[in-house]
Amino acid sequence: MSENTENLPEPRRAPLLAVFGVLALAVAGWGLSGGPDIPDLRLLPWLLIGVGTVAGIVLIASGFRRSGN
């Protein structure tokens, strides 16, 4: 069996994804090391819901963009 690698697309790097990964590791390390307490904010849960919603929409939209090629 011969492997035909001529028609395979060239892998693309995602530098923004790497930045988000490093940021996630930094936040995880901060949390595990007992970082400073977050003050009791009434706005914080809504901010987290908003960020999660925007991230979900971006991920869904990027899937549509890639499937159209």
Side-chain angles (χ1 to χ4, degrees):
M1 217 170 31
S2 66
E3 293 184 29
N4 186 4
T5 59
E6 294 175 12
N7 295 329
L8 293 177
E10 184 176 325
R12 298 185 312 182
R13 302 206 187 278
L16 190 60
L17 187 58
V19 169
F20 284 138
V22 169
L23 197 66
L25 289 173
V27 169
W30 175 62
L32 290 174
S33 68
D37 291 336
I38 297 174
D40 186 24
L41 299 175
R42 293 177 187 242
L43 185 61
L44 185 63
W46 291 108
L47 286 173
L48 294 175
I49 289 171
V51 168
T53 302
V54 169
I57 290 170
V58 167
L59 288 172
I60 291 170
S62 68
F64 287 143
R65 183 177 55 109
R66 288 185 184 165
S67 67
N69 289 341

